[in-house]
Amino acid sequence: MLGTLRQKILGQSLQRTRSAASALRSYSSAAKEMMVRDALNSALDEEMSADPKVFLMGEEVGEYQGAYKISKGLLEKYGPERVLDTPITEAGFTGIGVGAAYYGLRPIVEFMTFNFSMQAIDHIINSAAKSNYMSSGQISVPIVFRGPNGAAAGVGAQHSQCYAAWYAACPGLKVLCPYSSEDARGLLKAAIRDPDPVVFLENELLYGESFPVSAEVLDSSFCLPIGKAKIEREGKDVTITAFSKMVGYALKAAEILAKEGISAEVINLRSIRPLDRSTINASVRKTNRLITVEEGFPQHGVGAEICTSVIEESFGYLDAPVERIAGADVPMPYAANLERMAVPQVEDIVRAAKRACYRSVPLAAAA
């Protein structure tokens, strides 16, 4: 009797120890917080350290350590031959970068904002994107074009465009849009290692945001696959696709919807080209409803492509019309109140989800 009791007490003690150890492991694997800015910086540092062919060039990336401090410390560590400050000549230094990639180097070209990439779009599309195909595979162009994309705050129409749909329309380019620190670190490493040109669209307003990262993410070998989306939140009533800053908005909307009994599945696209159509369609076949969210213009947008994919592959599963949430179809206003109206907000996503789930009156019926 005494022996049985002793075994029972010992067993309970061991179980408590295992539970505590398990909780500790769980906590330690995701306890560290990392800013998106630091995630990008560490990815650049590690890839430059691992491969001497990798170098960074752009305006103020060296002495000033980056307009947004993404390249902080890199000039001191790698010297002016691998961290090159350029004049304000996007067409010039982008062409130099593409030429260097032709000869086997791995340039990372930083644009202070992707709006300035318009000065260099001929090199990005005609020189970089098309060369592998036009040379019958003889010319590889391993180059990364990176920098902030989309709307910041109060910077006007010429500095607020989202270029995801623009560049994703071009064969030969890969287009990535990170949201979290894990995305930023894992996708930038993948982009630098990729043999093809990659357009890497960051978000200025996310640079200072912190996200939890696991020990796996912090490992120097960590890398995310290009072309694979991430289900940030599982749900069963409606699918919400988003990328970059809009992922955070979609997650906030999902929290609000959950309080009203609507279970939303949030997909962080991560990769715009190639697009993870299989993950999107699998989700829609489960939830039977779709809402796409993006900051860019609605016409010919990323959401339009996603809607087409779902209609082509999963039309029979839809129980409600697809909803597209996008930026207003106007140049970005400068005034703060108008700017807010021109960019999707959390409440827009919530209203769309309610319409899709027949929890509110459709817009057409209300008109």
Side-chain angles (χ1 to χ4, degrees), residues 62 85 90 96-97 233 261-262 301 304:
D85 279 320
E90 281 79 11
I96 291 170
R233 179 182 179 127
I262 297 175

Side-chain angles (χ1 to χ4, degrees), residues 38-294:
D38 296 330
L40 293 166
N41 177 268
S42 66
L44 289 170
D45 186 10
E46 289 173 13
E47 293 306 304
M48 290 180 74
S49 177
D51 187 348
K53 295 191 295 293
V54 176
F55 70 95
L56 175 67
M57 64 192 304
E59 296 153 4
E60 299 185 350
V61 299
E63 293 287 347
Y64 192 66
Q65 306 198 61
Y68 303 97
K69 300 299 177 274
I70 307 300
S71 53
K72 186 177 181 180
L74 298 183
L75 175 63
E76 183 181 0
K77 188 170 183 179
Y78 298 103
E81 290 189 354
R82 294 184 64 194
V83 182
L84 287 79
D85 279 320
T86 66
I88 307 174
T89 53
E90 281 79 11
F93 66 73
T94 303
I96 291 170
V98 173
Y102 281 176
Y103 280 87
L105 297 179
R106 291 184 172 270
I108 303 163
V109 175
E110 177 181 309
F111 297 116
M112 197 176 290
T113 161
F114 250 91
N115 298 273
F116 299 159
S117 74
M118 291 293 92
Q119 302 292 324
I121 199 166
D122 181 54
H123 289 303
I124 296 170
I125 291 177
N126 282 327
S127 301
K130 299 176 182 177
S131 291
N132 188 263
Y133 179 84
M134 293 178 69
S135 68
S136 194
Q138 295 180 74
I139 299 176
S140 178
V141 192
I143 187 169
V144 177
F145 306 102
R146 54 156 294 270
N149 170 69
V155 291
Q158 293 179 326
H159 297 76
S160 298
Q161 293 164 129
C162 174
Y163 289 93
W166 292 52
Y167 286 117
C170 182
L173 290 177
K174 293 173 182 175
V175 181
L176 305 180
C177 295
Y179 161 60
S180 64
S181 299
E182 176 182 320
D183 291 355
R185 190 170 150 75
L187 290 175
L188 184 54
K189 281 173 160 287
I192 295 169
R193 297 175 191 181
D194 200 272
D196 297 311
V198 178
V199 172
F200 196 86
L201 304 174
E202 302 154 13
N203 186 285
E204 179 184 335
L205 299 178
L206 286 175
Y207 283 147
E209 292 285 322
S210 292
F211 294 87
V213 289
S214 65
E216 179 192 6
V217 173
L218 295 173
D219 191 276
S220 60
S221 64
F222 178 71
C223 192
L224 286 172
I226 291 175
K228 184 64 180 170
K230 179 187 179 185
I231 297 177
E232 294 282 351
R233 179 182 179 127
E234 293 193 357
K236 58 183 177 60
D237 295 327
V238 59
T239 297
I240 304 174
T241 66
F243 60 92
S244 191
K245 186 168 177 279
M246 290 295 108
V247 176
Y249 282 29
L251 289 169
K252 288 177 183 175
E255 288 179 15
I256 294 169
L257 291 165
K259 294 173 184 176
E260 301 189 32
I262 297 175
S263 173
E265 181 149 294
V266 178
I267 298 178
N268 173 7
L269 295 173
R270 285 180 166 173
S271 176
I272 308 301
R273 186 183 185 113
L275 188 64
D276 189 354
R277 300 171 195 273
S278 61
T279 294
I280 296 167
N281 277 278
S283 178
V284 170
R285 292 182 182 200
K286 178 176 69 172
T287 66
N288 309 118
R289 295 171 177 84
L290 172 66
I291 295 164
T292 69
V293 188
E294 64 188 306

